[in-house]
Amino acid sequence: MQPAFRTIRRFYFILSLAMIVIAPTSQAVQSPFDTLIEKIMMEYPALQGNIQSDIINGQTVFFADTKEAGSLLVSEFIVKTLQDNYQKGQSSVLGLATGSTPLIVYKNLVTAFQNGALSTQNLTTFNLDEYLGLAANHPASYAFFMYQNLFQYLDISDERIHIPSAPPKKTDESIAEYQQLLGQTQRDIQLLGLGKNGHIAFNEPGSPATSRTRLVKLDESTRIANSRYFESPEQVPEHAITMGIADILESKINIIMAWGEGKAEAVKRAITGPISSDCPASFLQQHNKTIWFIDQKAGKML
Ligand code: F6R
């Protein structure tokens, strides 16, 4: 990159950061969120040339040159939020997603834990969703994914890990129990990925804003997209249990990530499109602390 261009870019980065600091979603006062992001940016000079920010349609959007840079900002945000709570003697509640999108974030959280930068003793987690009919030891189940990529490395007991499940003949009870536990706590941060069809969690197009944890039928497009984790497309379950849109909107902060060109259209619809069940992620426009972390490719239609 030309030095002059780099300088201009840095100027715009600082300017846009200042805009977030000054006017995050129309608030005049700097919020703890802005202070934290600013602090992380200052701590990691490598992020400064690689991340730009903007406010689009009232939502804060961070554009990262790479998913590694975007994931670093997200994981540092999580680590600092959790550590802050820990130092104050408070507990933390994290909402977690699965799929390819949060993988680098989880890797970074494991590293932070192993380096002593993150304590998980006071942490409780709630996962977004799970396939119906897959046992926790099935390699494509989300319970297995979470154990493989995160939980096995952390100091967190099973009682503090919550993943929706639906044991045969006990589906309703299990969903009710999950919903009750979720309602008793407030998540500090909910992590989200974005489906190409605009879904968040397994809230497929058509999901209402008032939806709660429930059994859903998966879109064919979702089954096809996720068939990469199964031996054949027919093995992808037809149903799943998912947190609802209303549940997601109850988190204090929603962090939604999207990497790659394949997500560009969904990102555009979610951020700038009408708020509608046709694109469930558009309901995040109603949440005053939704933060988007996307790479340039996913943001190319904005
Ligand atoms: C997974 C989940 C889904 C994924 C979405 C994107 O828990 O809630 O909404 O976030 O399907 O999947 P990836 O990250 O594999 O592109």
Side-chain angles (χ1 to χ4, degrees), residues 1-3 5-14 16-17 40-53 63-66 69-70 72-73 296:
M1 194 190 298
Q2 297 296 319
F5 182 59
R6 198 192 296 257
T7 309
I8 292 168
R9 215 165 118 157
R10 180 162 293 204
F11 170 76
Y12 277 110
F13 166 73
I14 292 169
S16 54
L17 189 63
I40 297 166
M41 289 292 200
M42 299 304 167
E43 255 177 49
Y44 288 87
L47 288 178
Q48 292 178 15
N50 285 313
I51 300 203
Q52 293 86 47
S53 54
F63 294 84
D65 282 354
T66 60
L72 177 61
L73 185 53
Q296 301 290 357

Side-chain angles (χ1 to χ4, degrees), residues 96-103 127-130 142 145-146 191-197 199-203 222 225-226 228-229 242 248 257 259 263:
L96 298 171
T98 57
S100 57
T101 305
L103 277 173
N127 262 80
L128 287 170
D129 42 18
E130 179 61 286
Y142 286 167
F145 173 101
M146 290 309 303
L191 277 186
L192 296 162
L194 177 67
K196 286 183 186 170
N197 65 357
H199 75 204
I200 43 174
F202 277 143
N203 292 287
T222 299
N226 290 4
R228 64 192 194 278
Y229 298 111
T242 184
I248 291 170
M257 298 175 282
W259 319 126
K263 301 284 173 79

Side-chain angles (χ1 to χ4, degrees), residues 90-101:
Q90 294 169 2
S91 56
S92 293
V93 185
L94 260 188
L96 298 171
T98 57
S100 57
T101 305

Side-chain angles (χ1 to χ4, degrees), residues 124-239:
T124 297
T125 66
F126 283 90
N127 262 80
L128 287 170
D129 42 18
E130 179 61 286
Y131 292 109
L132 181 68
L134 296 195
N137 62 359
H138 188 291
S141 76
Y142 286 167
F144 192 84
F145 173 101
M146 290 309 303
Y147 179 76
Q148 286 286 103
N149 292 296
L150 189 64
F151 296 144
Q152 66 166 320
Y153 301 106
L154 305 182
D155 176 16
I156 181 164
S157 58
D158 287 350
E159 308 85 69
R160 288 185 287 116
I161 293 173
H162 306 285
I163 300 179
S165 71
K169 297 188 192 153
K170 287 197 173 167
T171 309
D172 292 346
E173 281 156 80
S174 172
I175 290 174
E177 190 187 332
Y178 185 85
Q179 185 76 69
Q180 197 203 358
L181 288 169
L182 188 65
Q184 282 169 3
T185 49
Q186 192 185 19
R187 277 149 290 154
D188 295 281
I189 300 170
Q190 175 66 59
L191 277 186
L192 296 162
L194 177 67
K196 286 183 186 170
N197 65 357
H199 75 204
I200 43 174
F202 277 143
N203 292 287
E204 302 286 26
S207 302
T210 51
S211 54
R212 293 287 179 183
T213 307
R214 67 205 187 286
L215 188 62
V216 291
K217 186 164 168 35
L218 294 175
D219 246 26
E220 268 319 289
S221 64
T222 299
R223 292 187 67 229
I224 292 165
N226 290 4
S227 62
R228 64 192 194 278
Y229 298 111
F230 293 81
E231 279 171 22
S232 70
E234 302 77 54
Q235 288 183 9
V236 184
E238 290 186 3
H239 295 88

